[in-house]
């Protein structure tokens, strides 16, 4: 495990929920999805819920709420910094045709894209930003963000919960 996940098991439940929410929001708005291990955190939180240290509905609610906040902030960042994000040093490595395809996808199916990409690391971070860059109003993607956040939080923490349950039976 990593340091953040280990931290969850050694702090109070209120602090654990705060760490979880902060990490998820950070992944969503800072464009560092690969560096913030939310999958490991969610699996750990689910396992801790199985042991009774945390409550599974609480983990799901905190994570889903953090995703919705992160998506809204990511969209806002994309909207405010769109041109600069697209011309940044790293973004210039992306071919113009890829940018155009992403814009077309956002213009035609932004909500569905956001929902599906919630389950794809890195893409879940980029999708709300891309929606903002294209100028799509947040209200068009908000219902998909809400649905995707609850589904994602349930699946990832539920997997940790189930894995912990299975390990207890094996032991």
């Amino acid at each position: 495990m990593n340091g953040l996940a280990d931290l969850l098991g050694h702090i109070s439940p209120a602090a654990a929920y705060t760490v979880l929410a902060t990490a998820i929001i950070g992944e969503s708005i800072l464009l560092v999805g690969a560096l913030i291990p939310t999958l490991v955190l969610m699996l750990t939180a689910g396992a801790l819920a199985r042991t009774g240290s945390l409550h599974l509905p609480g983990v799901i609610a905190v994570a889903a709420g953090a995703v919705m906040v992160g998506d809204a902030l990511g969209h806002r960042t994309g909207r405010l910094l769109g041109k600069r994000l697209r011309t940044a040093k790293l973004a210039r490595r992306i071919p113009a045709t890829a940018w155009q395809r992403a814009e077309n996808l956002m213009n035609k199916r932004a909500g569905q894209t956001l929902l599906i990409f919630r389950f794809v690391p890195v893409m879940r971070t980029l999708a709300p930003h891309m929606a903002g860059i294209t100028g799509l109003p947040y209200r068009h993607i908000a219902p998909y963000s809400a649905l995707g956040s609850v589904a994602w939080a349930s699946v990832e923490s539920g997997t940790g919960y189930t894995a912990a349950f299975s390990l207890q039976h094996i032991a």
Side-chain angles (χ1 to χ4, degrees):
M1 277 203 209
N2 63 47
L4 279 176
D6 288 339
L7 178 67
L8 283 183
H10 295 75
I11 58 178
S12 71
Y17 291 125
T18 302
V19 167
L20 186 63
T22 302
I24 291 169
I25 292 170
E27 176 193 45
S28 298
I29 61 173
L30 298 177
L31 296 174
V32 290
L35 303 177
I36 299 177
T38 56
L39 172 61
V40 174
L41 282 174
M42 291 298 293
L43 292 173
T44 302
L48 288 171
R50 176 68 189 145
T51 66
S53 299
L54 299 175
H55 298 287
L56 188 60
V59 169
I60 293 169
V62 166
V67 166
M68 288 186 281
V69 168
D71 281 357
L73 292 172
H75 178 272
R76 189 79 175 138
T77 301
R79 191 135 193 173
L80 294 173
L81 303 175
K83 298 287 186 210
R84 284 183 261 168
L85 287 174
R86 192 170 174 172
T87 59
K89 187 176 183 179
L90 184 61
R92 285 190 303 236
R93 297 177 130 173
I94 299 170
T97 55
W99 280 108
Q100 189 58 48
R101 280 192 308 241
E103 283 184 28
N104 290 341
L105 184 62
M106 279 297 151
N107 288 327
K108 291 179 183 174
R109 300 193 190 294
Q112 295 93 334
T113 301
L114 192 73
L115 182 64
I116 292 167
F117 281 176
R118 172 57 35 206
F119 293 91
V120 181
V122 180
M123 295 309 296
R124 70 171 148 249
T125 302
L126 295 175
H129 287 85
M130 197 63 198
I133 289 170
T134 61
L136 187 70
Y138 184 71
R139 69 180 180 275
H140 290 196
I141 63 169
Y144 296 95
S145 175
L147 179 62
S149 67
V150 172
W152 175 80
S154 298
V155 167
E156 294 209 352
S157 62
T159 300
Y161 187 91
T162 303
F165 178 75
S166 297
L167 286 174
Q168 284 177 341
H169 275 350
I170 291 171

